[in-house]
Amino acid sequence: MPELPEVEALRRALDEPVRAFPVEQAGPAHVATLKTYDPPLSALEGRRLAGAERRAKRLLFPTEDGELVLLIHLMSAGRLRYLGAGADGPKTPAFRLRFEGGGQLVLTEGGPKKRAGVWLLSPEAVAAELEHLGPEALGLGAERLGEILADQPRRLHSLLRDQRVIAGIGRAWANEILHEAQLSPFAPAQGLSTGQVRTLAEAIDSELARGLELRERGAKDAKVYRVHDKLGEPCFVCGTPIARVDFDEHTIYYCPSCQTGGRRLTPYWGFKGRGWDEVAMTSRRKTRRR
Ligand SMILES: [Zn+2]
């Protein structure tokens, strides 16, 4: 799923082309992709977009007259592109915006599941739609992060991915950030020292900035990620094979030497108040017996 660096790189690339010409034709949109019907998409026709904005993992395209906002969430498989005049577009896009001058903004989504979404809203409705989001991850700073962590009896990996708490980080960048900060994905947020909070705040900024820079240059996942999706590959810091812990819905990648003092994490960890060592030992035995 595209996260803050990917969506921000896309925003920067789209900002100029989308405001070059007024919208000529809005739609078609797949019935599962378009989440709103009032106002209709055709309300965009003849209006000019003011550019591309971003909030968390969402892209926002406000109209120049300030009356409407087109909101797009790519989810895991959505892909949004601007195609210049004369370029061949897909036959059945999930959503398309055609501009005077011939350019088009095209949303496609691979696979049978249509999860990406397009909303056409008033500025007030957009504010309500985004109200639940926490502060932007990039530039959060140690002080604000410290306040957030102190308030959350949670494990770091799950906390970093919670958009209501901090906005813009998902599975991949949570893996990269925690490795950079040399913190366990399962470390309790409230147990961090002041120094560790500062290290984590710095890692959030440096990793998201690194990701953004690489994505702006068009780098692919294999080059951008150093820990995420690298099971068994040597850690770029210490050479230990990267390990993985699987949950029903997602997977965490980490370096056992850099992040967990050599311990292997298991999904059983942390049940019902049992301590780190106790559960880590029990789970390790369970795993071995299988
Ligand atoms: Zn390592």
Side-chain angles (χ1 to χ4, degrees):
M1 175 183 293
E3 303 174 26
L4 190 152
E6 291 74 31
V7 180
E8 177 59 23
L10 184 57
R11 183 201 73 74
R12 293 182 183 186
L14 294 176
D15 189 45
E16 278 205 26
V18 298
R19 57 193 155 116
F21 291 95
V23 175
E24 185 176 69
Q25 190 190 12
H30 191 283
V31 64
T33 307
L34 185 63
K35 310 291 185 187
T36 52
Y37 59 91
D38 184 22
L41 276 182
S42 59
L44 280 172
E45 293 168 4
R47 298 184 204 240
R48 193 186 280 262
L49 299 180
E53 296 172 7
R54 180 189 59 77
R55 177 74 172 99
K57 304 175 190 172
R58 294 160 180 77
L59 284 162
L60 307 167
F61 303 93
T63 55
E64 211 177 43
D65 57 21
E67 289 182 6
L68 297 169
V69 182
L70 182 72
L71 185 157
I72 299 182
H73 197 321
L74 301 173
M75 299 301 291
S76 3
R79 182 166 175 233
L80 189 64
R81 284 172 295 163
Y82 178 85
L83 302 172
D88 270 346
K91 283 206 179 69
T92 52
F95 171 69
R96 177 165 56 207
L97 212 54
R98 202 187 292 278
F99 298 94
E100 289 172 20
Q104 46 183 324
L105 185 68
V106 175
L107 174 69
T108 50
E109 190 171 19
K113 280 188 188 157
K114 296 286 170 247
R115 296 181 61 209
V118 171
W119 292 253
L120 185 60
L121 301 163
S122 68
E124 297 74 31
V126 168
E129 184 76 28
L130 304 179
E131 198 179 29
H132 69 287
L133 293 168
E136 287 286 317
L138 191 58
L140 194 58
E143 195 179 328
R144 184 83 184 86
L145 179 65
E147 290 165 9
I148 291 170
L149 297 183
D151 209 32
Q152 298 284 330
R154 309 261 301 273
R155 312 294 169 202
L156 284 181
H157 199 280
S158 112
L159 182 152
L160 286 178
R161 287 184 288 110
D162 187 340
Q163 303 304 300
R164 293 165 300 179
V165 180
I166 298 174
I169 300 171
R171 295 163 204 180
W173 287 104
N175 289 331
E176 300 295 325
I177 287 165
L178 289 171
H179 181 274
E180 177 68 16
Q182 304 205 320
L183 289 167
S184 167
F186 285 179
Q190 292 173 321
L192 263 54
S193 70
T194 312
Q196 285 174 320
V197 171
R198 198 170 48 237
T199 304
L200 180 56
E202 285 167 5
I204 290 173
D205 279 347
S206 65
E207 281 303 295
L208 294 180
R210 181 178 71 81
L212 175 55
E213 199 209 318
L214 286 167
R215 292 300 190 186
E216 278 204 272
R217 289 197 265 131
K220 302 276 182 255
D221 289 0
K223 182 167 181 207
V224 172
Y225 301 136
R226 302 189 290 193
V227 182
H228 178 70
D229 222 8
K230 301 285 185 189
L231 179 67
E233 292 183 33
C235 165
F236 71 94
V237 173
C238 74
T240 304
I242 296 294
R244 187 173 82 180
V245 52
D246 293 307
F247 295 84
D248 290 343
E249 292 287 316
H250 72 284
T251 295
I252 293 175
Y253 294 86
Y254 66 101
C255 170
S257 297
C258 291
Q259 294 176 258
T260 58
R263 279 174 286 219
R264 315 290 296 190
L265 302 177
T266 80
Y268 307 106
W269 187 83
F271 277 8
K272 306 228 158 112
R274 284 193 288 170
W276 173 284
D277 289 314
E278 186 190 347
V279 179
M281 290 302 297
T282 324
S283 313
R284 207 175 300 152
R285 279 199 295 273
K286 269 185 199 156
T287 314
R288 260 199 218 126
R289 242 184 277 135
R290 268 191 207 136

